[in-house]
CSV table of all heavy atoms in Angstrom, one decimal:
chain,number,residue,atom,x,y,z
K,3,LYS,N,0.9,-1.2,0.0
K,3,LYS,CA,0.0,0.0,0.0
K,3,LYS,C,0.9,1.1,0.1
K,3,LYS,O,1.9,1.2,0.6
K,3,LYS,CB,-0.9,0.0,1.1
K,3,LYS,CG,-2.0,-1.0,1.1
K,3,LYS,CD,-2.9,-0.9,2.4
K,3,LYS,CE,-3.9,-2.1,2.3
K,3,LYS,NZ,-5.2,-1.7,2.5
K,4,GLY,N,0.4,2.3,-0.7
K,4,GLY,CA,1.3,3.4,-0.7
K,4,GLY,C,0.5,4.6,-1.5
K,4,GLY,O,-0.6,4.3,-1.8
K,5,TYR,N,1.2,5.7,-1.7
K,5,TYR,CA,0.7,6.8,-2.4
K,5,TYR,C,1.8,7.7,-2.8
K,5,TYR,O,2.8,7.6,-2.3
K,5,TYR,CB,-0.4,7.7,-1.6
K,5,TYR,CG,0.2,8.5,-0.4
K,5,TYR,CD1,0.6,9.7,-0.7
K,5,TYR,CD2,0.2,8.0,0.8
K,5,TYR,CE1,1.0,10.6,0.4
K,5,TYR,CE2,0.7,8.6,1.9
K,5,TYR,CZ,1.1,10.0,1.7
K,5,TYR,OH,1.6,10.7,2.7
K,6,GLY,N,1.6,8.3,-3.9
K,6,GLY,CA,2.5,9.4,-4.4
K,6,GLY,C,1.8,10.7,-4.5
K,6,GLY,O,1.3,11.2,-3.7
K,7,ARG,N,1.8,11.1,-5.9
K,7,ARG,CA,1.0,12.3,-6.1
K,7,ARG,C,-0.4,12.2,-5.9
K,7,ARG,O,-1.2,13.3,-5.7
K,7,ARG,CB,1.3,12.8,-7.4
K,7,ARG,CG,2.7,13.2,-7.7
K,7,ARG,CD,2.9,13.9,-9.1
K,7,ARG,NE,4.3,14.3,-9.1
K,7,ARG,CZ,4.9,14.4,-10.3
K,7,ARG,NH1,4.4,14.2,-11.4
K,7,ARG,NH2,6.2,14.8,-10.2
K,8,GLN,N,-1.0,10.8,-5.9
K,8,GLN,CA,-2.4,10.7,-5.7
K,8,GLN,C,-2.8,11.2,-4.4
K,8,GLN,O,-4.0,11.7,-4.2
K,8,GLN,CB,-2.7,9.3,-5.9
K,8,GLN,CG,-2.6,8.7,-7.2
K,8,GLN,CD,-2.9,7.2,-7.2
K,8,GLN,OE1,-2.0,6.5,-6.8
K,8,GLN,NE2,-4.0,6.8,-7.6
K,9,GLN,N,-2.1,11.1,-3.3
K,9,GLN,CA,-2.4,11.5,-2.1
K,9,GLN,C,-3.6,10.9,-1.5
K,9,GLN,O,-4.4,11.3,-0.7
K,9,GLN,CB,-2.5,13.1,-1.9
K,9,GLN,CG,-1.3,13.8,-2.4
K,9,GLN,CD,-0.2,13.7,-1.3
K,9,GLN,OE1,-0.5,13.7,0.0
K,9,GLN,NE2,1.1,13.5,-1.8
K,10,GLY,N,-3.9,9.6,-1.9
K,10,GLY,CA,-5.2,8.9,-1.5
K,10,GLY,C,-6.4,9.5,-2.1
K,10,GLY,O,-6.5,10.3,-3.1
K,11,HIS,N,-7.5,9.2,-1.6
K,11,HIS,CA,-8.8,9.6,-1.9
K,11,HIS,C,-9.9,9.4,-0.9
K,11,HIS,O,-9.5,8.8,0.2
K,11,HIS,CB,-9.2,9.0,-3.2
K,11,HIS,CG,-9.5,7.5,-3.2
K,11,HIS,ND1,-8.5,6.6,-3.2
K,11,HIS,CD2,-10.6,6.8,-2.9
K,11,HIS,CE1,-9.0,5.5,-3.0
K,11,HIS,NE2,-10.3,5.5,-2.9
K,12,SER,N,-11.0,10.1,-1.0
K,12,SER,CA,-12.1,9.8,-0.1
K,12,SER,C,-13.2,8.8,-0.5
K,12,SER,O,-13.3,8.8,-1.8
K,12,SER,CB,-12.8,11.2,0.1
K,12,SER,OG,-12.0,12.2,0.7
K,13,GLU,N,-13.7,8.1,0.4
K,13,GLU,CA,-14.7,7.1,-0.1
K,13,GLU,C,-15.9,7.4,1.0
K,13,GLU,O,-15.7,7.8,2.0
K,13,GLU,CB,-14.3,5.8,0.0
K,13,GLU,CG,-13.2,5.4,-1.1
K,13,GLU,CD,-12.9,3.9,-1.1
K,13,GLU,OE1,-13.4,3.2,-0.4
K,13,GLU,OE2,-12.0,3.5,-2.1
K,14,LEU,N,-17.0,6.8,0.5
K,14,LEU,CA,-18.2,6.7,1.4
K,14,LEU,C,-18.5,5.4,1.9
K,14,LEU,O,-18.4,4.4,1.0
K,14,LEU,CB,-19.5,7.3,0.7
K,14,LEU,CG,-19.6,8.8,0.5
K,14,LEU,CD1,-20.7,9.0,-0.4
K,14,LEU,CD2,-19.7,9.5,1.7
K,15,TYR,N,-18.8,5.2,3.0
K,15,TYR,CA,-19.2,3.9,3.7
K,15,TYR,C,-20.3,4.1,4.6
K,15,TYR,O,-20.1,4.8,5.7
K,15,TYR,CB,-17.9,3.3,4.3
K,15,TYR,CG,-18.3,1.9,4.9
K,15,TYR,CD1,-18.5,0.8,4.2
K,15,TYR,CD2,-18.3,1.8,6.3
K,15,TYR,CE1,-18.7,-0.4,4.7
K,15,TYR,CE2,-18.6,0.5,6.9
K,15,TYR,CZ,-18.9,-0.6,6.1
K,15,TYR,OH,-19.2,-1.8,6.7
K,16,ARG,N,-21.4,3.6,4.3
K,16,ARG,CA,-22.7,3.7,5.1
K,16,ARG,C,-23.0,5.1,5.5
K,16,ARG,O,-23.3,5.6,6.5
K,16,ARG,CB,-22.5,2.9,6.3
K,16,ARG,CG,-22.5,1.3,6.1
K,16,ARG,CD,-22.6,0.7,7.3
K,16,ARG,NE,-22.5,-0.7,7.2
K,16,ARG,CZ,-22.6,-1.8,8.1
K,16,ARG,NH1,-22.8,-1.4,9.2
K,16,ARG,NH2,-22.5,-3.0,7.6
K,17,GLY,N,-22.7,6.0,4.4
K,17,GLY,CA,-23.1,7.4,4.5
K,17,GLY,C,-22.1,8.3,5.1
K,17,GLY,O,-22.2,9.4,5.1
K,18,ALA,N,-21.0,7.7,5.6
K,18,ALA,CA,-20.0,8.4,6.2
K,18,ALA,C,-18.7,8.5,5.3
K,18,ALA,O,-18.4,7.6,4.6
K,18,ALA,CB,-19.5,7.9,7.5
K,19,GLU,N,-18.2,9.7,5.1
K,19,GLU,CA,-17.0,9.8,4.3
K,19,GLU,C,-15.8,9.7,5.1
K,19,GLU,O,-15.7,10.1,6.3
K,19,GLU,CB,-16.9,11.3,3.7
K,19,GLU,CG,-15.9,11.4,2.7
K,19,GLU,CD,-15.9,12.8,2.0
K,19,GLU,OE1,-17.1,13.4,1.9
K,19,GLU,OE2,-14.9,13.4,1.5
K,20,TYR,N,-14.8,8.9,4.5
K,20,TYR,CA,-13.6,8.7,5.3
K,20,TYR,C,-12.4,8.8,4.2
K,20,TYR,O,-12.7,8.5,2.9
K,20,TYR,CB,-13.5,7.4,6.1
K,20,TYR,CG,-13.6,6.1,5.1
K,20,TYR,CD1,-12.5,5.4,4.8
K,20,TYR,CD2,-14.8,5.7,4.6
K,20,TYR,CE1,-12.6,4.3,4.1
K,20,TYR,CE2,-14.9,4.5,3.9
K,20,TYR,CZ,-13.7,3.8,3.6
K,20,TYR,OH,-13.7,2.8,2.8
K,21,ALA,N,-11.3,9.0,4.7
K,21,ALA,CA,-10.0,9.2,3.8
K,21,ALA,C,-9.4,7.8,3.7
K,21,ALA,O,-9.2,7.1,4.6
K,21,ALA,CB,-9.1,10.2,4.3
K,22,VAL,N,-8.9,7.6,2.4
K,22,VAL,CA,-8.1,6.3,2.2
K,22,VAL,C,-6.8,7.0,1.9
K,22,VAL,O,-6.5,7.5,0.7
K,22,VAL,CB,-8.7,5.5,1.0
K,22,VAL,CG1,-7.8,4.3,0.7
K,22,VAL,CG2,-10.1,5.0,1.4
K,23,ASP,N,-5.9,6.9,2.7
K,23,ASP,CA,-4.6,7.5,2.6
K,23,ASP,C,-3.5,6.6,1.8
K,23,ASP,O,-2.8,7.1,1.0
K,23,ASP,CB,-3.8,7.8,3.9
K,23,ASP,CG,-4.7,8.8,4.6
K,23,ASP,OD1,-5.2,9.7,4.1
K,23,ASP,OD2,-4.6,8.8,6.0
K,24,PHE,N,-3.6,5.3,1.9
K,24,PHE,CA,-2.8,4.4,1.3
K,24,PHE,C,-3.7,3.5,0.3
K,24,PHE,O,-4.5,3.0,0.7
K,24,PHE,CB,-2.1,3.5,2.3
K,24,PHE,CG,-1.1,4.4,3.2
K,24,PHE,CD1,-1.5,4.7,4.4
K,24,PHE,CD2,0.1,4.7,2.7
K,24,PHE,CE1,-0.6,5.3,5.2
K,24,PHE,CE2,1.0,5.3,3.5
K,24,PHE,CZ,0.6,5.7,4.7
K,25,LEU,N,-3.1,3.6,-1.0
K,25,LEU,CA,-3.9,2.8,-2.0
K,25,LEU,C,-3.2,1.5,-2.2
K,25,LEU,O,-2.0,1.3,-2.1
K,25,LEU,CB,-3.9,3.6,-3.2
K,25,LEU,CG,-4.4,5.0,-3.2
K,25,LEU,CD1,-4.2,5.8,-4.3
K,25,LEU,CD2,-5.9,4.9,-2.8
K,26,PRO,N,-4.0,0.5,-2.5
K,26,PRO,CA,-3.4,-0.8,-2.9
K,26,PRO,C,-2.6,-0.9,-4.1
K,26,PRO,O,-3.0,-0.3,-5.2
K,26,PRO,CB,-4.6,-1.8,-2.9
K,26,PRO,CG,-5.8,-0.9,-3.3
K,26,PRO,CD,-5.4,0.5,-2.8
K,27,LYS,N,-1.4,-1.4,-4.0
K,27,LYS,CA,-0.5,-1.5,-5.2
K,27,LYS,C,0.1,-2.9,-5.2
K,27,LYS,O,0.0,-3.7,-4.3
K,27,LYS,CB,0.6,-0.4,-5.2
K,27,LYS,CG,0.2,1.0,-4.9
K,27,LYS,CD,-0.2,1.4,-6.4
K,27,LYS,CE,-0.7,2.9,-6.2
K,27,LYS,NZ,-1.2,3.5,-7.6
K,28,ILE,N,0.9,-3.2,-6.2
K,28,ILE,CA,1.6,-4.5,-6.4
K,28,ILE,C,3.1,-4.1,-6.6
K,28,ILE,O,3.3,-3.2,-7.4
K,28,ILE,CB,1.1,-5.3,-7.5
K,28,ILE,CG1,-0.4,-5.8,-7.3
K,28,ILE,CG2,2.0,-6.5,-7.8
K,28,ILE,CD1,-0.5,-6.9,-6.3
K,29,LYS,N,4.0,-4.8,-5.9
K,29,LYS,CA,5.4,-4.5,-6.1
K,29,LYS,C,5.9,-5.8,-6.7
K,29,LYS,O,5.8,-6.9,-6.1
K,29,LYS,CB,6.2,-4.2,-4.9
K,29,LYS,CG,7.6,-4.0,-5.1
K,29,LYS,CD,8.3,-3.3,-4.0
K,29,LYS,CE,8.7,-4.3,-2.9
K,29,LYS,NZ,9.7,-3.6,-1.8
K,30,ILE,N,6.6,-5.7,-7.9
K,30,ILE,CA,7.2,-6.7,-8.5
K,30,ILE,C,8.7,-6.5,-8.4
K,30,ILE,O,9.2,-5.5,-8.8
K,30,ILE,CB,6.8,-6.7,-10.1
K,30,ILE,CG1,5.3,-7.0,-10.2
K,30,ILE,CG2,7.6,-7.9,-10.8
K,30,ILE,CD1,4.9,-6.6,-11.6
K,31,GLU,N,9.4,-7.7,-8.0
K,31,GLU,CA,10.8,-7.5,-8.0
K,31,GLU,C,11.4,-8.6,-8.9
K,31,GLU,O,11.0,-9.8,-9.0
K,31,GLU,CB,11.4,-7.8,-6.6
K,31,GLU,CG,10.9,-6.8,-5.6
K,31,GLU,CD,11.2,-7.2,-4.1
K,31,GLU,OE1,12.3,-6.8,-3.7
K,31,GLU,OE2,10.3,-7.8,-3.5
K,32,VAL,N,12.5,-8.2,-9.7
K,32,VAL,CA,13.1,-9.2,-10.7
K,32,VAL,C,14.6,-8.8,-10.7
K,32,VAL,O,14.9,-7.7,-10.8
K,32,VAL,CB,12.5,-8.8,-12.1
K,32,VAL,CG1,13.1,-10.0,-13.0
K,32,VAL,CG2,11.1,-8.7,-12.2
K,33,VAL,N,15.4,-9.9,-10.7
K,33,VAL,CA,16.9,-9.7,-10.7
K,33,VAL,C,17.3,-10.2,-12.1
K,33,VAL,O,16.9,-11.4,-12.4
K,33,VAL,CB,17.6,-10.5,-9.6
K,33,VAL,CG1,19.1,-10.3,-9.7
K,33,VAL,CG2,17.1,-10.0,-8.1
K,34,VAL,N,18.0,-9.3,-12.8
K,34,VAL,CA,18.4,-9.6,-14.2
K,34,VAL,C,19.8,-9.2,-14.4
K,34,VAL,O,20.3,-8.4,-13.8
K,34,VAL,CB,17.5,-9.0,-15.2
K,34,VAL,CG1,16.1,-9.4,-15.1
K,34,VAL,CG2,17.5,-7.5,-15.2
K,35,PRO,N,20.5,-9.7,-15.5
K,35,PRO,CA,21.8,-9.3,-15.8
K,35,PRO,C,21.7,-7.9,-16.2
K,35,PRO,O,20.7,-7.4,-16.7
K,35,PRO,CB,22.1,-10.1,-17.0
K,35,PRO,CG,21.3,-11.5,-16.8
K,35,PRO,CD,20.0,-11.0,-16.2
K,36,ALA,N,22.7,-7.1,-16.1
K,36,ALA,CA,22.6,-5.7,-16.5
K,36,ALA,C,22.2,-5.4,-17.9
K,36,ALA,O,21.6,-4.3,-18.1
K,36,ALA,CB,24.0,-5.0,-16.2
K,37,ASP,N,22.7,-6.2,-18.7
K,37,ASP,CA,22.3,-5.9,-20.2
K,37,ASP,C,20.8,-6.2,-20.5
K,37,ASP,O,20.3,-5.9,-21.6
K,37,ASP,CB,23.1,-6.7,-21.1
K,37,ASP,CG,23.0,-8.3,-20.9
K,37,ASP,OD1,22.6,-8.8,-19.9
K,37,ASP,OD2,23.3,-9.0,-21.9
K,38,GLU,N,20.0,-6.6,-19.5
K,38,GLU,CA,18.6,-7.0,-19.9
K,38,GLU,C,17.7,-5.9,-19.2
K,38,GLU,O,16.4,-5.9,-19.4
K,38,GLU,CB,18.2,-8.3,-19.3
K,38,GLU,CG,18.7,-9.5,-20.1
K,38,GLU,CD,18.2,-10.8,-19.7
K,38,GLU,OE1,17.0,-10.8,-19.1
K,38,GLU,OE2,18.9,-11.9,-19.7
K,39,VAL,N,18.3,-5.0,-18.4
K,39,VAL,CA,17.5,-4.1,-17.6
K,39,VAL,C,16.6,-3.1,-18.5
K,39,VAL,O,15.4,-3.0,-18.3
K,39,VAL,CB,18.5,-3.1,-16.8
K,39,VAL,CG1,17.7,-2.0,-16.1
K,39,VAL,CG2,19.1,-4.0,-15.6
K,40,GLU,N,17.2,-2.6,-19.5
K,40,GLU,CA,16.3,-1.7,-20.4
K,40,GLU,C,15.1,-2.4,-21.0
K,40,GLU,O,14.0,-1.9,-21.1
K,40,GLU,CB,17.2,-1.0,-21.5
K,40,GLU,CG,18.2,0.0,-20.9
K,40,GLU,CD,17.4,1.1,-20.1
K,40,GLU,OE1,16.4,1.6,-20.5
K,40,GLU,OE2,18.2,1.4,-19.0
K,41,ASN,N,15.3,-3.7,-21.4
K,41,ASN,CA,14.2,-4.5,-22.0
K,41,ASN,C,13.1,-4.8,-21.0
K,41,ASN,O,11.9,-4.6,-21.3
K,41,ASN,CB,14.6,-5.8,-22.6
K,41,ASN,CG,15.6,-5.7,-23.8
K,41,ASN,OD1,15.4,-4.8,-24.4
K,41,ASN,ND2,16.3,-6.8,-24.0
K,42,VAL,N,13.6,-5.0,-19.7
K,42,VAL,CA,12.7,-5.3,-18.7
K,42,VAL,C,11.8,-4.0,-18.3
K,42,VAL,O,10.6,-4.0,-18.2
K,42,VAL,CB,13.3,-5.7,-17.4
K,42,VAL,CG1,12.5,-5.8,-16.2
K,42,VAL,CG2,13.9,-7.2,-17.7
K,43,ILE,N,12.5,-2.8,-18.3
K,43,ILE,CA,11.8,-1.6,-18.0
K,43,ILE,C,10.8,-1.3,-19.1
K,43,ILE,O,9.7,-1.0,-18.8
K,43,ILE,CB,12.9,-0.4,-17.8
K,43,ILE,CG1,13.7,-0.6,-16.6
K,43,ILE,CG2,12.2,1.0,-17.9
K,43,ILE,CD1,14.9,0.3,-16.4
K,44,GLU,N,11.2,-1.4,-20.3
K,44,GLU,CA,10.3,-1.1,-21.5
K,44,GLU,C,9.1,-2.0,-21.4
K,44,GLU,O,8.0,-1.5,-21.7
K,44,GLU,CB,11.1,-1.4,-22.9
K,44,GLU,CG,12.1,-0.2,-23.1
K,44,GLU,CD,12.9,-0.5,-24.4
K,44,GLU,OE1,12.4,-1.4,-25.2
K,44,GLU,OE2,13.9,0.1,-24.6
K,45,LYS,N,9.3,-3.3,-21.1
K,45,LYS,CA,8.1,-4.2,-21.0
K,45,LYS,C,7.1,-3.8,-19.8
K,45,LYS,O,6.0,-4.0,-20.1
K,45,LYS,CB,8.6,-5.6,-20.8
K,45,LYS,CG,8.9,-6.3,-22.1
K,45,LYS,CD,7.6,-6.5,-23.0
K,45,LYS,CE,7.8,-7.1,-24.3
K,45,LYS,NZ,6.7,-7.1,-25.2
K,46,ILE,N,7.7,-3.4,-18.7
K,46,ILE,CA,7.0,-3.1,-17.6
K,46,ILE,C,6.1,-1.8,-18.0
K,46,ILE,O,4.9,-1.8,-17.7
K,46,ILE,CB,7.8,-2.9,-16.4
K,46,ILE,CG1,8.4,-4.1,-15.8
K,46,ILE,CG2,6.9,-2.2,-15.2
K,46,ILE,CD1,9.4,-4.0,-14.7
K,47,ILE,N,6.8,-0.8,-18.5
K,47,ILE,CA,6.1,0.4,-19.0
K,47,ILE,C,5.0,0.0,-20.0
K,47,ILE,O,3.8,0.5,-19.9
K,47,ILE,CB,7.0,1.5,-19.5
K,47,ILE,CG1,8.0,1.9,-18.4
K,47,ILE,CG2,6.3,2.6,-20.2
K,47,ILE,CD1,9.1,2.8,-18.8
K,48,GLU,N,5.3,-0.8,-21.0
K,48,GLU,CA,4.4,-1.1,-22.0
K,48,GLU,C,3.1,-1.7,-21.4
K,48,GLU,O,2.0,-1.5,-22.0
K,48,GLU,CB,5.1,-2.0,-23.0
K,48,GLU,CG,4.2,-2.5,-24.1
K,48,GLU,CD,5.0,-3.5,-25.0
K,48,GLU,OE1,6.2,-3.3,-25.2
K,48,GLU,OE2,4.3,-4.6,-25.3
K,49,ASN,N,3.3,-2.6,-20.5
K,49,ASN,CA,2.1,-3.4,-19.9
K,49,ASN,C,1.4,-2.8,-18.7
K,49,ASN,O,0.4,-3.3,-18.3
K,49,ASN,CB,2.6,-4.8,-19.7
K,49,ASN,CG,2.9,-5.5,-20.9
K,49,ASN,OD1,2.0,-6.0,-21.5
K,49,ASN,ND2,4.1,-5.7,-21.3
K,50,ALA,N,2.1,-1.8,-18.0
K,50,ALA,CA,1.5,-1.3,-16.8
K,50,ALA,C,1.0,0.1,-17.0
K,50,ALA,O,0.1,0.5,-16.1
K,50,ALA,CB,2.6,-1.2,-15.6
């Protein structure tokens, strides 16, 4: 969970408004040879 420029958001639950400061995210970790880094970055950007 985290936030950047989004700064979270507000939601309504049973008529009451509350702040959601941290948003659900997924962290992917991959270890690759140095010469494959640019391909990995490009694929992540293309698909995310």
Side-chain angles (χ1 to χ4, degrees):
K3 292 184 181 228
Y5 69 90
R7 290 189 180 157
Q8 287 174 287
Q9 299 293 318
H11 63 277
S12 297
E13 289 188 2
L14 282 174
Y15 180 71
R16 295 188 179 185
E19 187 174 331
Y20 65 99
V22 177
D23 294 331
F24 295 99
L25 302 171
K27 301 286 182 181
I28 294 291
K29 182 165 83 169
I30 299 169
E31 298 172 89
V32 193
V33 176
V34 296
D37 62 342
E38 290 185 34
V39 169
E40 290 307 315
N41 290 337
V42 169
I43 290 172
E44 288 174 19
K45 271 299 178 185
I46 292 171
I47 290 171
E48 177 186 319
N49 289 284

